Amino acid sequence: KAPRWQQRLSDGTVLLSQFAFIFGMLGVYILSAGRGFGMLFFETQWCLPVWTGVACAVVLPLQMGSHQTLVWLNIATLSGTVLIPLCYYQVFGTDEIRGTGDGSVVRWTPVEEFDSSKVLSSLSTFAFGMTSQFMLVEIIAEMKEPDELPRAYIHQSAPFQLAAFVVAGLGGYYYFGDQAWGMINDNLPFNLSIRLAAFCLLIHMLITYVIKGVVISRVFFFSFAGRLWGDVPRVEECWRARILWNFIGIVLLAWVWVFTNLVPFFSDAVDLLGASLTPISCFLMPIAMYLRFLYDAGPEVRSRVPWWEWILMAMTLALALLLVFFGTASSLGNLREHWKNSGYPFQCHCTGLWDTCECSAGHAGMLDQCPSQDVGGHTLAG
């Protein structure tokens, strides 16, 4: 019963936020895969833009066909990305990782003072990590029994995601306190452990890109195929469809590579997406549509909504608006600061990728080798 302009506004808002979020999320995956390549081959001194380009080149041929059997490999590599660093910290400890070179040991504070910027960053990261609305329609379309989605998501998918976040977050904080930074494997020294963790990260990110990149690629493919030929042929059976599918994949990867190098910092990219776009798709628009439904349904239906549900909706709206405005502003401020201190877009970001004092003086295990070096982020010209 909503006016036509409201329907168009809601459709456009959801479509724009969904596409922008998926596009940015694919950039995070390529960025992580590029860093995975760099950490796997840390003795090969290639810059981050080059490694992200290599990741794009590797993922391009994987976009063709079905890769359902890779789901379990994806779960295994995700587990390896988290568990390998934690096992290393448990077995070898963390005291020797950041030695000062004079026999003393750096100490960590397990609990830090309240910081609104860090709270906003944490909320944005959590919102980014737990969001799933961009994939649910695709998952429902592939399910033999779509009615089973709520049970499968609540009892299987969401607990696994939450457990992975808790283990990685609390595990890293347990070992490093407020000295932990970036991804959990960024705190590993340059040895076999970081290569193994980087390999798991690399495979996990490549598979995840392929699985989730299908969502946006399929939308463009159906749209263009319908306009060109009037119907949508199967990619496996039509050479024209294969050409179109590959063209869409190449163009998408090119734009993703550009975005990746515009925001070449993992935490900043995640925070920006989690603050600016996730609340719109996951909180604001669903609640707005639900409230419109209650308005159209009349007072009898509205009266059956329990009071605590209204309170939860109000709290959710407040959190969403907080993230959209203050969280986005905080993320952009952090990004500008990192551009200034660690290098601007498309520069040779090498921090944590090269085992040199010039790039990674502050990296785990490097302080003994580089006692007089600046430990901040580094980038090289070119």
Side-chain angles (χ1 to χ4, degrees), residues 1-12 285 292 296:
K1 296 181 180 180
R4 185 61 179 166
W5 70 268
Q6 290 186 8
Q7 298 178 23
R8 291 179 177 176
L9 178 61
S10 62
D11 288 346
M285 292 307 301
R292 178 69 211 195
D296 294 334

Side-chain angles (χ1 to χ4, degrees), residues 148-190:
E148 290 295 311
L149 176 69
R151 185 190 62 82
Y153 184 80
I154 294 174
H155 295 290
Q156 298 176 22
S157 177
F160 176 79
Q161 294 179 64
L162 186 59
F165 282 123
V166 170
V167 171
L170 294 184
Y173 199 68
Y174 171 79
Y175 288 110
F176 288 97
D178 60 359
Q179 296 298 314
W181 68 280
M183 296 182 289
I184 191 170
N185 50 9
D186 286 328
N187 298 277
L188 287 170
F190 289 114

Side-chain angles (χ1 to χ4, degrees), residues 60-131:
L60 180 60
L62 299 177
Q63 294 185 108
M64 287 294 296
S66 174
H67 301 278
Q68 296 168 333
T69 57
L70 296 180
V71 173
W72 291 108
L73 178 60
N74 202 30
I75 296 175
T77 52
L78 171 60
S79 301
T81 303
V82 175
L83 295 179
I84 289 175
L86 294 180
C87 290
Y88 183 91
Y89 304 147
Q90 179 63 33
V91 173
F92 296 98
T94 58
D95 290 346
E96 297 300 324
I97 291 179
R98 294 179 183 266
T100 60
D102 58 0
S104 60
V105 176
V106 177
R107 302 295 179 182
W108 294 274
T109 303
V111 180
E112 56 184 314
E113 296 181 359
F114 176 83
D115 187 323
S116 59
S117 176
K118 293 182 179 180
V119 171
L120 290 172
S121 175
S122 300
L123 290 173
S124 301
T125 301
F126 197 82
F128 173 89
M130 293 300 293
T131 184

Side-chain angles (χ1 to χ4, degrees), residues 229 233-246:
W229 306 308
R234 293 178 59 86
V235 175
E236 299 84 359
E237 300 173 355
C238 178
W239 64 270
R240 295 181 304 173
R242 286 196 295 271
I243 293 176
L244 177 60
W245 181 265
N246 288 332

Side-chain angles (χ1 to χ4, degrees), residues 9-66:
L9 178 61
S10 62
D11 288 346
T13 302
V14 171
L15 185 65
L16 180 61
S17 61
Q18 288 282 75
F19 272 32
F21 179 81
I22 296 175
F23 179 81
M25 183 179 55
L26 295 178
V28 172
Y29 297 151
I30 291 298
L31 173 61
S32 300
R35 291 194 60 82
F37 268 121
M39 289 185 288
L40 180 61
F41 303 105
F42 56 78
E43 294 177 342
T44 302
Q45 297 182 0
W46 288 3
C47 301
L48 182 59
V50 177
W51 283 125
T52 54
V54 172
C56 291
V58 172
V59 81
L60 180 60
L62 299 177
Q63 294 185 108
M64 287 294 296
S66 174

Side-chain angles (χ1 to χ4, degrees), residues 132-153:
S132 59
Q133 85 291 339
F134 62 94
M135 284 292 293
L136 291 181
V137 175
E138 295 289 329
I139 293 174
I140 292 174
E142 298 293 334
M143 292 181 67
K144 294 180 180 180
E145 300 181 16
D147 293 340
E148 290 295 311
L149 176 69
R151 185 190 62 82
Y153 184 80

